[in-house]
Amino acid sequence: MSLTQAPYLETERLILRGPEPEDAEPLTEFLLDRARSDGFGGYDHRGDAWRWFALNVGHWHLRGYGYFTIELKEAGTPAGISGIWNPEGWPEPELGWVVFAEFEGKGIASEAARRVRRYAYEDLGLKTLTSNIVPGNTRSIALAERLGASYERTYQNYNMGEDLLYRHPGPDEVLG
């Protein structure tokens, strides 16, 4: 049971769908793993992590977009999240991604992010996207650059502290 009006998107290996109640637990586990989730705003308490899950559901209702659950087609298993994030105080719509530990290094984040970016440009009509990355998150920086994004500036994110803003190529460059 989807909690949002999120569309159902597919890639060769993935399904990108709206958050469902059973997605709260794997996301909560990720957010409580500070070593892995600090660059995403990790938490120390289950209640705070659960509230982030609820925040994403609300974001879909208020903005019409948010983070999709990344599901592996073959296994039907949640592997992470990817989507467009733009809560109050954000500089502009952001393309973001997280892959849970057991799914890292398999190209899942890249595949999901490319599909979400296409959705943002084709279906939402967005003209630009950023990825906001905490300094030192070398894996996300490398992925942003593989996606064609380039460093634009460093800014103070009210929630995360110092963030590096990477600008993605626009729809004309991505969609051809």
Side-chain angles (χ1 to χ4, degrees):
M1 169 183 87
S2 181
L3 300 170
T4 69
Q5 75 282 15
Y8 186 89
L9 307 177
E10 291 191 49
T11 69
E12 183 179 328
R13 301 179 298 158
L14 308 173
I15 295 168
L16 303 173
R17 58 167 175 73
E20 298 176 356
E22 58 272 11
D23 298 331
E25 188 57 33
L27 186 61
T28 296
E29 288 178 23
F30 164 77
L31 290 169
L32 291 173
D33 181 352
R34 293 304 293 256
R36 297 199 66 255
S37 68
D38 269 354
F40 196 77
Y43 297 100
D44 293 322
H45 304 285
R46 285 188 64 79
D48 293 331
W50 185 90
R51 277 188 281 287
W52 191 95
F53 178 80
L55 171 68
N56 183 42
V57 171
H59 191 283
W60 273 102
H61 290 281
L62 292 169
R63 296 279 196 228
Y65 53 83
Y67 275 97
F68 292 91
T69 296
I70 302 169
E71 185 176 291
L72 300 177
K73 279 184 180 178
E74 287 187 17
T77 307
I81 59 174
S82 184
I84 309 300
W85 195 240
N86 191 20
E88 182 63 33
W90 232 239
E92 56 192 285
E94 174 191 16
L95 171 60
W97 53 80
V98 162
V99 178
F100 302 148
E102 61 269 30
F103 302 103
E104 284 186 346
K106 299 178 180 181
I108 292 170
S110 176
E111 189 174 329
R114 288 178 194 282
R115 181 62 183 96
V116 169
R117 185 170 65 185
R118 193 173 100 215
Y119 162 75
Y121 290 157
E122 286 180 343
D123 299 309
L124 298 177
L126 297 180
K127 302 296 181 202
T128 188
L129 286 169
T130 66
S131 287
N132 308 330
I133 304 170
V134 296
N137 188 344
T138 56
R139 292 184 75 156
S140 279
I141 290 169
L143 177 52
E145 290 174 346
R146 281 195 311 275
L147 292 170
S150 56
Y151 171 79
E152 186 173 288
R153 64 185 168 96
T154 299
Y155 77 100
Q156 279 301 121
N157 180 311
Y158 78 96
N159 190 46
M160 302 294 297
E162 187 175 86
D163 248 352
L164 308 175
L165 190 143
Y166 279 75
R167 174 90 40 207
H168 286 267
D172 292 342
E173 297 168 82
V174 172
L175 303 176

